[in-house]
Amino acid sequence: MIDEETRRLRAYQIWESEGRPEGRDLAHWYKAGEADFDASRDRPHFIQYSPGAAPPGSLVIKFYHSGDQIRGYVRKIAEPDEDDTIFPGEEMEPDAAFKLANSHNGDAHTPIFIELVEDVQWDPTWGELRSDHVATDTGETDDSHSQDDPAVARGRRTLAREAKKGPGRAVADPDR
């Protein structure tokens, strides 16, 4: 038998893992009391991101401080000769970033990578963050991607598109 405080914590973890639904407190309480309950089984798993660890097509959620809040954005690692795709190109709350990444992650067996910057600490209610890296032969070689925020990345893509139109186009407009 578990003590009441442990059961309360388990019920909270279940509630968090189910997206904080209303009206299910009793179901969560009973499930938390089950002897074979394993909180990590119900929580999503993520892999700590480091440059070069994510193969093309992988999703990365980058979390950073914006004022006193933690915000994030989702990007998809591109092939070496292409720019990463950012969904939707704006910062969002962590829960929204997780939902967006899950909706774009077609293969549930493909890990979602997490990048924490600016002293952002991992919140265990988000799931389990593993530091073990998947052995990959990655095409990601541009370490500057990990330093970009969404605005910088959009600017980089715009300049790259303009540069393809001609050598003078990317720098011709002094207001950029």
Side-chain angles (χ1 to χ4, degrees):
M1 187 73 181
I2 62 171
D3 62 76
E4 188 172 331
E5 186 60 31
T6 302
R7 190 172 188 174
R8 184 177 293 119
L9 178 61
R10 287 180 177 180
Y12 179 80
Q13 291 172 334
I14 296 167
W15 176 70
E16 284 280 328
S17 72
E18 290 182 3
R20 302 178 178 180
E22 292 185 32
R24 301 219 354 104
D25 21 347
L26 273 179
H28 296 153
W29 181 257
Y30 287 118
K31 186 173 182 180
E34 294 175 2
D36 64 344
F37 175 78
D38 179 6
S40 64
R41 175 187 67 197
D42 293 333
R43 296 183 336 196
H45 302 287
F46 303 97
I47 295 178
Q48 179 104 30
Y49 172 81
S50 62
S58 298
L59 293 174
V60 178
I61 304 174
K62 182 175 182 176
F63 290 114
Y64 53 92
H65 288 285
S66 180
D68 62 344
Q69 297 180 333
I70 295 177
R71 308 296 278 183
Y73 69 90
V74 179
R75 70 183 171 103
K76 186 173 192 175
I77 302 295
E79 294 293 334
D81 58 339
E82 299 174 2
D83 288 326
D84 292 349
T85 304
I86 296 178
F87 307 104
E90 59 195 42
E91 63 180 34
M92 62 191 86
E93 293 180 0
D95 288 342
F98 287 119
K99 286 180 184 175
L100 183 64
N102 284 324
S103 73
H104 281 80
N105 193 21
D107 181 6
H109 300 289
T110 304
I112 295 175
F113 291 83
I114 303 294
E115 182 177 5
L116 303 172
V117 297
E118 302 172 13
D119 298 324
V120 172
Q121 298 297 315
W122 180 254
D123 183 340
T125 63
W126 295 340
E128 181 182 339
L129 182 61
R130 298 177 179 172
S131 59
D132 55 287
H133 299 289
V134 176
T136 61
D137 180 20
T138 179
E140 184 185 19
T141 58
D142 185 359
D143 289 354
S144 66
H145 286 302
S146 66
Q147 303 302 314
D148 288 347
D149 65 26
V152 171
R154 280 192 301 276
R156 186 182 72 240
R157 286 193 303 274
T158 301
L159 287 174
R161 278 193 304 272
E162 291 300 319
K164 288 179 183 177
K165 295 178 183 175
R169 294 284 303 265
V171 294
D173 185 357
D175 293 331
R176 276 193 196 189

